[in-house]
Amino acid sequence: QVQLVQSGAEVKKPGSSVKVSCKASADTFSSYAINWVRQAPGQGLEWMGRIIPVLGLKNYAQTLQGRVTLTADTSTRTAYMELTSLTSEDTAVYYCAPRTGYNSGYFALWGRGTLVTVSS
Amino acid sequence: ELVMTQSPATLSVSPGERATLSCRASQSVGSNLAWYQQKPGQAPRLLIYGASTRASGIPARFSGSGSGTEFTLTISSLQSEDFGVYHCQQYNDWPTFGHGTKVEVK
């Protein structure tokens, strides 16, 4: 079973950027598609995008296109999600959710989440 | 974008009772539908995928049904540990989720 460790909580000012990391324990990291999902307080889940590290292939949700960038470092088995031009509406818990297979699918694995608070 | 609509928003159920949760897709997703359970402060936990297949370790009291645009999650006899929020998710296209159904103690 892959273990996932996400970076710690962040507090950011409006207009700034945040970068959240997700480190995987397994050597099979490179065969996973790393998805990112966020959840605003009291709200539902929102898929943000995914990256396939071994291919460098990235797909983003249309609603976040241009503000979100996904990267990955296969040598450290770490995936990153950077979100720019933050507003209060970006206050949320951000989860990484790796899955095997390169098509869209369900998520059996989840990180513990990283709380990002945007406040002046 | 495929929109997922869950109902009801809140379901009040007594322990031991049956709970039925609904999820509707704005267009057909075939059987590409998953259900998750989420408790406060925790990540979602996969319950059902393929509309009706229980994930590993999920008790038999959880069952999923439906295809196309209408789906149901049934919890046959609610246990105390089953209270929480339930989300449906389609993966026929890029993933989209419903807004969740909160199952609370009646």
Side-chain angles (χ1 to χ4, degrees):
Chain A
Q1 183 83 338
V2 176
Q3 302 297 315
L4 302 165
V5 178
Q6 292 190 224
S7 49
E10 302 257 17
V11 179
K12 294 292 183 179
K13 300 285 189 190
S16 67
S17 301
V18 68
K19 193 169 187 176
V20 177
S21 67
C22 171
K23 183 175 175 64
S25 62
D27 292 339
T28 54
F29 172 79
S30 60
S31 66
Y32 281 76
I34 309 297
N35 290 258
W36 289 87
V37 176
R38 71 177 180 176
Q39 186 173 35
Q43 302 299 308
L45 299 160
E46 178 186 14
W47 180 77
M48 301 178 68
R50 68 96 187 252
I51 181 170
I52 302 174
V54 68
L55 300 177
L57 179 65
K58 307 170 191 182
N59 300 93
Y60 298 112
Q62 274 195 315
T63 53
L64 293 169
Q65 195 95 25
R67 285 208 303 135
V68 63
T69 303
L70 302 182
T71 55
D73 182 341
T74 53
S75 67
T76 60
R77 298 192 303 274
T78 304
Y80 300 91
M81 184 286 300
E82 183 173 24
L83 189 61
T84 61
S85 302
L86 294 170
T87 72
S88 58
E89 294 188 348
D90 296 313
T91 294
V93 176
Y94 290 76
Y95 295 101
C96 61
R99 54 171 277 105
T100 56
Y102 296 158
N103 52 348
S104 182
Y106 53 87
F107 306 113
L109 291 171
W110 295 75
R112 298 184 74 170
T114 296
L115 175 62
V116 175
T117 303
V118 182
S119 174
S120 55
Chain B
E1 177 183 287
L2 262 163
V3 177
M4 307 302 292
T5 303
Q6 291 188 244
S7 61
T10 303
L11 186 62
S12 299
V13 185
S14 299
E17 286 187 342
R18 183 186 193 90
T20 303
L21 290 67
S22 296
C23 176
R24 174 177 293 178
S26 59
Q27 62 191 74
S28 177
V29 299
S31 294
N32 296 314
L33 191 284
W35 290 94
Y36 301 84
Q37 176 194 66
Q38 188 177 29
K39 298 187 178 181
Q42 296 184 14
R45 173 195 181 197
L46 178 67
L47 298 175
I48 301 283
Y49 61 92
S52 60
T53 302
R54 277 190 302 278
S56 176
I58 302 303
R61 63 180 181 272
F62 291 92
S63 63
S65 63
S67 66
T69 62
E70 302 283 343
F71 300 89
T72 300
L73 174 70
T74 302
I75 311 170
S76 60
S77 175
L78 255 138
Q79 307 298 302
S80 58
E81 62 266 29
D82 299 336
F83 294 97
V85 178
Y86 290 79
H87 307 273
C88 65
Q89 176 228 330
Q90 67 78 22
Y91 51 94
N92 197 57
D93 198 341
W94 294 120
T96 52
F97 296 83
H99 281 93
T101 290
K102 181 179 181 181
V103 176
E104 63 176 24
V105 179
K106 187 173 183 181

